[in-house]
């Protein structure tokens, strides 16, 4: 399971199962590739979420129950990190900094206010419920 995806000088690093894998793509290109593998485009997803939920910025990405990606910044920013919320097992809050603990005991410290993170998780859960209800007629 992916924990998080960060950019580096060579593309991006994908942290999963306690290890990192180098990809020649940026983390946004990698995320777009994950969307295509699931038969939709990232751009189409954003347009739909913007229309249904009237949210414009830092939109979380629900791919499936094991892959729920939350951006830490604007998605085009090189410093943005895509966090897989499905892999987060604990969260430590210290002022404007969060420490995320993942299923393989990997830790990641990010400069993000808890309110901002919680707002994205709230939207992620709304998107998840909306998508899941369409599969159960």
């Amino acid at each position: 399971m992916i924990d998080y995806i960060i950019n580096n000088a060579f593309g991006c690093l994908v942290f999963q199962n306690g290890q990192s894998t180098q990809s020649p793509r940026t983390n946004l290109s990698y995320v777009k590739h994950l969307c295509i593998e699931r038969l939709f485009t990232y751009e189409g997803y954003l347009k739909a979420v913007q229309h249904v939920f009237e949210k414009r910025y830092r939109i979380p990405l629900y791919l499936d129950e094991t892959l729920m990606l939350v951006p830490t910044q604007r998605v085009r920013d090189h410093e943005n990190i895509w966090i897989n919320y499905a892999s987060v097992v604990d969260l430590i809050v210290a002022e404007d900094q969060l420490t995320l603990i993942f299923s393989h005991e990997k830790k990641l410290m990010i400069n993000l206010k808890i309110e901002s993170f919680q707002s994205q998780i709230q939207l992620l859960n709304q998107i998840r419920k909306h998508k899941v209800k369409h599969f159960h007629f």
Side-chain angles (χ1 to χ4, degrees):
M1 176 184 300
I2 292 175
D3 293 332
Y4 59 95
I5 308 166
I6 63 170
N7 282 316
N8 67 9
F10 307 104
C12 73
L13 284 172
V14 181
F15 291 85
Q16 63 187 56
N17 303 323
Q19 300 179 340
S20 65
T21 306
Q22 179 68 51
S23 170
R25 303 171 182 196
T26 65
N27 66 5
L28 182 56
S29 293
Y30 190 86
V31 165
K32 288 179 179 183
H33 173 74
L34 293 173
C35 292
I36 293 295
E37 284 182 339
R38 287 159 179 81
L39 305 177
F40 65 90
T41 66
Y42 178 71
E43 293 78 9
Y45 174 89
L46 287 181
K47 191 174 184 177
V49 169
Q50 289 169 352
H51 177 76
V52 173
F53 297 99
E54 298 179 359
K55 174 81 172 157
R56 298 272 178 248
Y57 305 103
R58 290 182 33 194
I59 296 172
L61 180 60
Y62 177 84
L63 294 158
D64 58 42
E65 286 297 314
T66 64
L67 199 51
M68 302 180 217
L69 299 174
V70 179
T72 60
Q73 299 182 21
R74 291 181 37 223
V75 297
R76 297 197 186 284
D77 286 351
H78 184 74
E79 295 78 25
N80 177 52
I81 301 171
W82 287 93
I83 297 165
N84 182 9
Y85 184 66
S87 185
V88 175
V89 295
D90 201 4
L91 186 66
I92 300 168
V93 180
E95 296 193 23
D96 289 349
Q97 193 166 32
L98 296 177
T99 300
L100 303 168
I101 302 169
F102 297 95
S103 53
H104 299 284
E105 298 180 16
K106 177 91 174 143
K107 293 181 181 180
L108 174 68
M109 292 174 54
I110 56 173
N111 292 324
L112 186 65
K113 292 184 179 187
I114 186 65
E115 296 83 11
S116 177
F117 188 70
Q118 287 173 330
S119 173
Q120 287 181 285
I121 299 310
Q122 200 171 36
L123 178 58
L124 179 66
N125 285 327
Q126 290 174 332
I127 294 166
R128 183 180 152 273
K129 287 177 187 172
H130 189 82
K131 284 187 78 166
V132 170
K133 80 176 182 184
H134 288 288
F135 288 108
H136 298 62
F137 305 170

